[in-house]
């Protein structure tokens, strides 16, 4: 295990009905709140009215910005930055899932920066400060409510880039499982696979001697594998939603990865695809992850056997470790089938015409022009995985 610092400053407030308490927590940060959300679902569900009442009870003024889409764009961030400055906003509140939260994070740091907020995502500048943000989570999956990460897409170049900073961690995140009951099925399945992927990206690591952390990660993954299909079949199951909310948080709050080097190949090679084609992130991960596994598993056989047995529940065969590893990968694909997730890029209307361009772009973000830590992959390797995913 490598040296590490563990810092998880977000106050997590969990429980049914607790979104109605949000004003109590926000009043400590100032008088004017900018509430950021997506479409009209929070109004149809009544969440909007509950939050507005909480603002009123705690003497808070509110500015609203709606219309955040999936694979959020930097143009929406720039709109929010202007609104924050015009209305002298003290604190931002994201009501939604990862796209809304990431938009809020970018607004929070961009509002206190004189240049182009995209500078942070390009690596030209480091985030030194940000307005406080908080979250009322309605769609678990990304774990952005407890992380310092944000992912945005450039309207002009279609690049989908990420940034990480302790200044972007939410001050208070409210996890109320009753807010998930009306989530559309497509978003349910995509969110479930994203949280699973966040754990797998840390689990498949070149770091040795991390038994405690691997055990935590295996527990998180098994909870997702168990409760994901339950929620997908019955979105009204509050208990299963609660399990997924906790799993999503542990997946991305650093607990499943501290002391380890994460791999992140699948996120890197998927994000360029969703940037180009505007496909759901979770769906892209569902396609690419098994093919990445098949591409490298022979070089890291014990790790993939451990995953097959400890996580996917495959009965181990010490006489045929390759078969055990492959059965684990097949079990992962079967899990995707229970969520009606795609297993081929063609299912997402992605062809092979831009494979080389996307592979080169994914690799270009890394100093050695290779993606991943467990098995670093050059652009030609990435193209092979893309082709195998068709």
């Amino acid at each position: 295990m490598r040296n590490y610092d563990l810092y998880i400053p977000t106050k997590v407030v969990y429980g049914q009905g607790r979104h109605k308490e949000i004003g109590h927590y926000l009043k400590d940060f100032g008088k004017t709140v900018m509430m950021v959300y997506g479409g009209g679902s929070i109004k149809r569900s009544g969440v909007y009215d509950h939050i507005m009442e909480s603002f009123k009870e705690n003497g808070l003024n509110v500015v609203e910005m709606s219309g955040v889409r999936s694979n959020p764009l930097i143009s929406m961030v720039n709109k929010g930055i202007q609104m924050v400055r015009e209305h002298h906003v003290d604190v931002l509140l994201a009501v939604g899932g990862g796209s809304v939260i990431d938009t809020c994070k970018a607004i929070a740091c961009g509002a206190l920066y004189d240049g182009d907020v995209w500078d942070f995502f390009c690596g030209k500048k480091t985030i030194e400060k940000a307005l406080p943000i908080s979250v009322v989570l309605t769609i678990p999956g990304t774990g952005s409510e407890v992380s310092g990460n944000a992912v945005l897409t450039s309207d002009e170049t279609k690049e989908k880039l990420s940034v990480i900073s302790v200044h972007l961690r939410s001050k208070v995140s409210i996890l109320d499982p009753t807010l998930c009951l009306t989530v559309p099925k497509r978003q349910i399945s995509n969110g479930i696979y994203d949280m699973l992927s966040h754990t797998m990206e840390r689990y498949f690591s070149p770091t040795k001697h991390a038994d405690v952390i691997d055990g935590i990660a295996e527990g998180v993954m098994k909870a997702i594998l168990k409760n994901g299909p339950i929620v997908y079949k019955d979105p009204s199951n509050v208990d299963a939603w609660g399990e997924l909310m906790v799993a999503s948080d542990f997946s991305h709050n650093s607990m499943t990865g501290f002391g380890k080097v994460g791999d992140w190949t699948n996120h890197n090679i998927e994000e360029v695809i969703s940037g180009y084609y505007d496909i759901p992130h979770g769906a892209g991960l569902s396609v690419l992850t098994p093919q990445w596994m098949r591409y490298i598993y022979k070089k890291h056989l014990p790790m993939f056997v451990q995953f097959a047995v400890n996580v996917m529940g495959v009965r181990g065969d010490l006489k045929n470790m390759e078969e055990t590893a492959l059965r684990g990968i097949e079990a992962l694909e079967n899990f995707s089938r229970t969520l009606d997730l795609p297993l081929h890029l063609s299912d997402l209307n992605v062809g092979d015409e831009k494979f080389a361009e996307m592979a080169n772009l994914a690799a270009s973000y890394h100093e050695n022009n290779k993606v991943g830590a467990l098995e670093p992959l050059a652009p030609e390797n990435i193209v092979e995985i893309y082709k195998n995913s068709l």
Side-chain angles (χ1 to χ4, degrees):
M1 189 184 301
R2 67 173 184 167
N3 295 347
Y4 66 85
D5 294 332
L6 180 62
Y7 179 56
I8 309 174
T10 301
K11 181 181 180 68
V12 175
V13 179
Y14 174 86
Q16 298 185 30
R18 301 204 68 183
H19 66 283
K20 299 174 185 178
E21 303 172 18
I22 187 61
H24 167 75
Y25 296 103
L26 294 187
K27 66 182 180 182
D28 293 336
F29 302 106
K31 281 288 185 180
T32 302
V33 180
M34 185 161 90
M35 183 167 67
V36 181
Y37 55 98
S41 61
I42 66 168
K43 292 185 177 180
R44 293 191 297 271
S45 67
V47 174
Y48 175 90
D49 290 337
H50 295 157
I51 291 175
M52 295 300 286
E53 181 63 27
S54 184
F55 287 162
K56 183 178 179 181
E57 291 173 355
N58 289 277
L60 296 171
N61 304 315
V62 60
V63 178
E64 298 180 42
M65 188 182 84
S66 62
V68 177
R69 44 161 278 180
S70 61
N71 292 319
L73 299 172
I74 207 70
S75 57
M76 180 63 80
V77 171
N78 289 327
K79 174 184 174 182
I81 290 171
Q82 183 178 356
M83 292 176 65
V84 164
R85 292 170 176 170
E86 286 178 359
H87 297 279
H88 306 288
V89 169
D90 300 306
V91 56
L92 291 98
L93 175 67
V95 184
S99 296
V100 174
I101 301 169
D102 287 2
T103 299
C104 246
K105 289 178 178 180
I107 293 171
C109 62
L112 301 183
Y113 175 58
D114 290 335
D116 184 351
V117 68
W118 192 244
D119 290 346
F120 297 129
F121 292 84
C122 293
K124 294 179 180 179
K125 293 290 182 178
T126 300
I127 296 172
E128 297 180 351
K129 56 185 176 179
L131 288 171
I133 73 162
S134 289
V135 176
V136 172
L137 185 67
T138 64
I139 308 173
T142 69
S144 190
E145 69 277 5
V146 291
S147 79
N149 305 58
V151 181
L152 272 294
T153 300
S154 166
D155 304 58
E156 296 180 4
T157 66
K158 306 305 179 185
E159 290 178 287
K160 190 173 182 180
L161 301 180
S162 61
V163 69
I164 181 169
S165 170
V166 68
H167 300 292
L168 299 184
R169 285 187 181 264
S170 172
K171 302 299 184 183
V172 179
S173 289
I174 294 184
L175 312 183
D176 182 345
T178 64
L179 303 189
C180 305
L181 306 185
T182 58
V183 175
K185 281 209 163 186
R186 190 187 73 151
Q187 288 180 289
I188 292 175
S189 57
N190 288 326
I192 289 168
Y193 205 95
D194 193 19
M195 69 177 78
L196 180 65
S197 179
H198 285 156
T199 312
M200 290 192 289
E201 296 278 26
R202 295 173 168 92
Y203 185 74
F204 290 102
S205 164
T207 305
K208 307 298 182 185
H209 308 296
D211 295 344
V212 173
I213 305 307
D214 283 351
I216 293 173
E218 288 171 359
V220 168
M221 288 187 282
K222 287 192 287 187
I224 295 169
L225 293 169
K226 175 184 177 182
N227 290 282
I230 292 174
V231 158
Y232 188 67
K233 184 178 181 180
D234 178 16
S236 67
N237 192 314
V238 177
D239 291 329
W241 272 120
E243 296 284 355
L244 290 176
M245 280 187 149
V246 173
S248 179
D249 274 15
F250 270 83
S251 178
H252 215 34
N253 72 358
S254 302
M255 285 295 292
T256 58
F258 70 85
K260 298 184 69 175
V261 175
D263 183 75
W264 298 104
T265 295
N266 289 290
H267 269 70
N268 277 270
I269 66 176
E270 194 289 323
E271 285 172 350
V272 293
I273 295 180
S274 54
Y276 273 63
Y277 291 92
D278 196 25
I279 64 171
H281 182 50
L285 290 169
S286 174
V287 171
L288 294 174
T289 303
Q291 298 306 328
W292 168 79
M293 289 179 166
R294 288 192 174 95
Y295 194 77
I296 72 163
Y297 81 96
K298 290 183 180 180
K299 294 183 179 180
H300 309 278
L301 198 52
M303 187 178 300
F304 281 90
V305 170
Q306 177 179 314
F307 173 76
V309 175
N310 291 0
V311 179
M312 300 311 303
V314 171
R315 185 172 181 177
D317 183 355
L318 295 178
K319 294 182 180 179
N320 197 335
M321 294 179 67
E322 282 196 27
E323 182 180 343
T324 300
L326 287 171
R327 286 170 59 200
I329 298 170
E330 291 170 1
L332 180 63
E333 288 182 321
N334 287 333
F335 172 71
S336 290
R337 291 187 177 98
T338 67
L339 302 177
D340 295 322
L341 283 165
L343 292 173
H344 305 282
L345 288 176
S346 56
D347 297 334
L348 297 167
N349 297 317
V350 176
D352 62 359
E353 60 275 358
K354 295 183 178 179
F355 281 176
E357 181 180 339
M358 292 189 297
N360 283 318
L361 181 59
S364 71
Y365 299 132
H366 304 270
E367 289 183 7
N368 60 358
N369 209 42
K370 289 187 176 181
V371 176
L374 179 61
E375 183 67 30
L377 301 176
E380 57 268 26
N381 305 123
I382 300 169
V383 169
E384 288 188 55
I385 293 174
Y386 285 160
K387 289 180 177 178
N388 295 339
S389 302
L390 272 173

